[in-house]
């Protein structure tokens, strides 16, 4: 299974500010999919954003954007204009094109300060 | 909007007992998954299911575990003889195109 590494166990951000979560992964494949999932205290897994490796353009979903650096095998998530509702655990995940299971990182807990 | 549902939301059981966790995937999805998350740890893949059979399973998915799609809608995970270390959140997911939709999870507590 691919290894997904999230090196920041916790991040804190002031409301309305920006926070960036890091994720690196290990793969020998050239085509794959990367995801960020949000897990609030309810523990529901919510898809935040998705990136296909063959696309050079970084994915964006409203206040959420990624910085995908394929050569560096890096996939960071930027949350802009942070809101109290953004407080959650965020998981980076990898999916091979040849199977559909997800490999998750250890997660980063984001705290938003009012 | 269609969603994946799971029942029960919380299951408490005694060690050695059998439990069945139930999931109703989104109706037109064809691939189904179970994942496990021990409290405070990452989400781990257990098993994938396609065309009425297991397509892949992890090393966690040993002989104590089984999955079944008994009818056209339900997808179940059975743990035959629960151990303390089976206490975790269990997530069901179903796949559409390139996105997996997760259910709300079942919290399993083994005493």
């Amino acid at each position: 299974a691919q290894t997904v590494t999230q090196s920041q166990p916790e991040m804190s951000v002031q409301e309305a500010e920006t926070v960036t979560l890091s994720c690196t992964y290990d793969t020998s494949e050239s085509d794959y999919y990367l995801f960020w999932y949000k897990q609030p205290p309810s523990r529901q897994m919510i898809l935040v954003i998705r990136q296909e490796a063959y696309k050079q353009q970084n994915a964006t979903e409203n206040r959420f954007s990624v910085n995908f650096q394929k050569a560096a095998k890096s996939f960071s998530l930027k949350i802009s204009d942070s809101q109290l509702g953004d407080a959650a655990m965020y998981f980076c995940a990898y999916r091979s094109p040849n199977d559909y299971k997800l490999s998750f990182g250890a997660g980063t807990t984001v705290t938003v300060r009012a | 909007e269609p969603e994946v549902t799971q029942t029960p939301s919380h299951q408490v059981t005694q060690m050695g007992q059998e439990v069945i966790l139930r999931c109703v995937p989104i109706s037109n999805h064809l691939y189904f998954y179970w994942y496990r998350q021990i409290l405070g740890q990452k989400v781990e893949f257990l098993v994938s299911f396609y065309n009425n059979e297991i397509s892949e399973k992890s090393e966690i998915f040993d002989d104590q575990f089984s999955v079944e799609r008994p009818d056209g809608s339900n997808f179940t995970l059975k743990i035959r003889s629960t151990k303390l270390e089976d206490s975790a959140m269990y997530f069901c997911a179903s796949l559409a195109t390139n996105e997996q939709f997760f259910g709300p999870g079942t919290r399993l507590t083994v005493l």
Side-chain angles (χ1 to χ4, degrees):
Chain A
Q2 274 68 22
T3 303
V4 179
T5 302
Q6 293 179 249
S7 58
Q8 305 153 316
E10 296 178 3
M11 294 287 281
S12 181
V13 60
Q14 189 72 38
E15 197 175 5
E17 298 293 307
T18 295
V19 65
T20 299
L21 312 183
S22 65
C23 172
T24 58
Y25 55 92
D26 182 28
T27 185
S28 58
E29 295 170 318
S30 59
D31 194 18
Y32 45 86
Y33 301 87
L34 296 164
F35 305 84
W36 279 98
Y37 280 87
K38 172 184 178 181
Q39 187 181 45
S42 67
R43 302 191 75 181
Q44 172 87 45
M45 295 291 285
I46 303 165
L47 179 65
V48 174
I49 202 165
R50 176 180 71 212
Q51 175 81 41
E52 289 89 349
Y54 64 86
K55 291 186 178 178
Q56 293 186 333
Q57 187 173 8
N58 289 323
T60 299
E61 284 290 340
N62 301 314
R63 298 181 295 104
F64 297 87
S65 61
V66 298
N67 183 4
F68 173 49
Q69 301 288 326
K70 191 172 183 179
K73 297 178 183 174
S74 169
F75 182 60
S76 61
L77 175 70
K78 184 168 80 171
I79 307 173
S80 303
D81 185 24
S82 297
Q83 300 174 0
L84 295 177
D86 294 333
M89 182 85 117
Y90 287 81
F91 290 97
C92 179
Y94 173 103
R95 205 207 94 192
S96 166
N98 300 317
D99 66 51
Y100 295 101
K101 71 177 185 290
L102 295 171
S103 298
F104 287 89
T108 297
T109 300
V110 172
T111 304
V112 182
R113 305 186 305 274
Chain B
E1 186 174 328
E3 58 183 17
V4 177
T5 60
Q6 289 185 243
T7 54
S9 56
H10 190 190
Q11 173 90 47
V12 181
T13 190
Q14 295 291 326
M15 189 169 58
Q17 294 297 304
E18 174 184 287
V19 294
I20 297 176
L21 310 183
R22 291 183 167 79
C23 168
V24 179
I26 296 172
S27 62
N28 60 344
H29 290 184
L30 300 177
Y31 287 85
F32 314 115
Y33 305 83
W34 284 100
Y35 291 86
R36 181 181 80 174
Q37 184 185 30
I38 295 171
L39 185 64
Q41 299 186 23
K42 68 178 177 182
V43 179
E44 299 172 291
F45 167 76
L46 287 178
V47 65
S48 58
F49 192 85
Y50 171 71
N51 201 26
N52 284 321
E53 61 183 26
I54 291 173
S55 52
E56 187 174 356
K57 60 183 180 180
S58 73
E59 56 199 26
I60 302 169
F61 194 88
D62 61 21
D63 292 344
Q64 292 297 315
F65 291 89
S66 62
V67 290
E68 197 176 41
R69 190 159 160 81
D71 53 43
S73 59
N74 290 285
F75 178 50
T76 62
L77 173 69
K78 182 195 291 186
I79 308 175
R80 253 179 281 281
S81 177
T82 50
K83 302 187 282 286
L84 294 176
E85 53 265 38
D86 293 327
S87 294
M89 197 78 168
Y90 289 81
F91 292 100
C92 172
S94 65
L95 179 75
T97 316
N98 292 315
E99 181 179 342
Q100 288 191 22
F101 291 81
F102 282 81
T106 292
R107 180 177 300 202
L108 176 65
T109 302
V110 182
L111 303 176

